[in-house]
Amino acid sequence: MDELSLYVLDITMNSVRAGADTIGITLDEAGKWLDFSVSDNGCGMTEEQVKRLSDPFFTTRKTRKVGLGIPFLTMLAEMTGGFVRITSVHESVSDDHGTTTYARFGRNHIDFIPLGDMVETVLTLIQGSPDINFTYTHKTESGTVSLSCEELRAILEDVPLNEPEVLAWIRENLREQYAALASESNR
């Protein structure tokens, strides 16, 4: 994967598979760092599972025998002076269970890979899992782009979020927010 947005997609799909109904995706581009986190209320992982995430031959998926996402993400972050931190509480331990994956990247480092198309990443997630309450927040030095599926659902009532017209509106809304940030940064 050569864009961070694909790692965000991969990590968020892990949250979906973990049974989360609420997932927060946050990007923060402040100064020389790009930080992103994906937090969920899924089933969580045990301490042993979290420790094994850096092992490329460990995965909880049944469809393949390797899990390269976290090891590669960690390598990419560390190459830019950053890091990856994963915290998780398993559902057997607490009713307040879930996982947070946090990654930091040095934006000015030669090995920093591009962010990619976060609008299409968010749309892919909503289209594939329209009942999940995704919250997306991207903070930049020019302002913030945000979207809340829970807020959209309250307005749309019984209209599914994966209806083509709704997805088109979400795409346009996010693109307009990013365009406003771009024009603000050019001032």
Side-chain angles (χ1 to χ4, degrees), residues 39-55:
S39 298
D40 69 55
N41 68 345
C43 64
M45 293 180 281
T46 64
E47 287 182 41
E48 179 62 29
Q49 287 174 315
V50 172
K51 288 177 187 172
R52 294 189 62 205
L53 286 176
S54 62
D55 177 358

Side-chain angles (χ1 to χ4, degrees), residues 99-161:
T99 302
T100 297
T101 302
Y102 175 85
R104 170 169 272 193
F105 293 84
R107 291 173 50 200
N108 299 322
H109 197 280
I110 193 169
D111 291 321
F112 179 70
I113 64 172
L115 178 58
D117 192 342
M118 286 304 300
V119 172
E120 293 304 317
T121 295
V122 171
L123 281 170
T124 299
L125 291 165
I126 294 170
Q127 184 175 13
S129 302
D131 296 327
I132 292 178
N133 288 322
F134 292 104
T135 302
Y136 174 68
T137 307
H138 185 171
K139 299 175 188 174
T140 71
E141 293 170 354
S142 302
T144 301
V145 172
S146 63
L147 178 81
S148 167
C149 288
E150 188 172 23
E151 290 175 8
L152 287 176
R153 236 180 249 103
I155 294 167
L156 296 173
E157 296 178 357
D158 294 330
V159 179
L161 295 186

Side-chain angles (χ1 to χ4, degrees), residues 171-185:
R171 176 183 283 116
E172 184 63 26
N173 178 270
L174 289 172
R175 295 256 185 248
E176 286 175 5
Q177 289 184 61
Y178 276 111
L181 289 183
S183 68
E184 183 66 30
S185 69

